[in-house]
Amino acid sequence: MSTIDQLLQYPLGHTVGILSVSILELVVFLACFELLTSYRCWFEIGKGNLAAALATGGKIAGICIIIRSVADKTNIYDFILWSFIGTLLLFIAYVLFEFVTPVFRIDREIEARNLAVGIISMCISISLSLVIAASIV
């Protein structure tokens, strides 16, 4: 048994391990979402774009809901796998959301500060993450 596995057997070790991996995954997954959008999320938020803040906040909440759903059900290796799969499903849902709204482009509307689109984007990210979280593991 590796040293990491031994440390993860203790409640504090498990908590620190899950938290460390969660923070790393959140940063990586947010960077992936940043690459997926046509606007720069953090740049727009820095300019006071509330629509971008809401959409990004929805992504953060969605990713964390998925991460939370697998944190107490699996070992650390399954946790990494299932949180990746769940977030990948959220990425796919985001792309489909853009595809099934042919009336306007979600990313352009968020960049243009359309608050209604930012709110619906946040709600869709959170809602779909709840469905994904309930269906994995």
Side-chain angles (χ1 to χ4, degrees), residues 26 30 54-68 90 122 125-126 129-130:
L26 183 60
L30 280 174
L54 288 167
T56 303
K59 292 170 193 164
I60 291 168
I63 292 167
C64 288
I65 288 167
I66 292 168
I67 287 173
R68 190 315 181 199
L90 192 61
M122 176 187 71
S125 292
I126 292 171
S129 71
L130 288 167

Side-chain angles (χ1 to χ4, degrees), residues 70 73-84 137:
V70 295
K73 295 181 181 176
T74 61
N75 63 46
I76 192 78
Y77 307 107
D78 288 339
F79 166 76
I80 293 168
L81 173 68
W82 284 107
S83 57
F84 172 79
V137 181

Side-chain angles (χ1 to χ4, degrees), residues 109-125:
E109 292 298 317
I110 290 173
E111 188 173 18
R113 298 174 179 260
N114 185 333
L115 195 54
V117 174
I119 291 170
I120 197 70
S121 178
M122 176 187 71
C123 291
I124 287 174
S125 292

Side-chain angles (χ1 to χ4, degrees), residues 36-101:
L36 192 63
T37 60
S38 62
Y39 63 93
R40 304 289 50 105
C41 302
W42 299 107
F43 176 74
E44 289 296 323
I45 292 168
K47 292 189 330 186
N49 185 337
L50 188 55
L54 288 167
T56 303
K59 292 170 193 164
I60 291 168
I63 292 167
C64 288
I65 288 167
I66 292 168
I67 287 173
R68 190 315 181 199
S69 74
V70 295
D72 63 350
K73 295 181 181 176
T74 61
N75 63 46
I76 192 78
Y77 307 107
D78 288 339
F79 166 76
I80 293 168
L81 173 68
W82 284 107
S83 57
F84 172 79
I85 290 170
T87 304
L88 179 63
L89 291 171
L90 192 61
F91 286 149
I92 292 168
Y94 184 84
V95 171
L96 288 175
F97 174 49
E98 180 78 46
F99 179 73
V100 298
T101 53

Side-chain angles (χ1 to χ4, degrees), residues 27-37 91:
V27 169
V28 169
F29 295 151
L30 280 174
C32 292
F33 266 119
E34 180 85 12
L35 294 173
L36 192 63
T37 60
F91 286 149

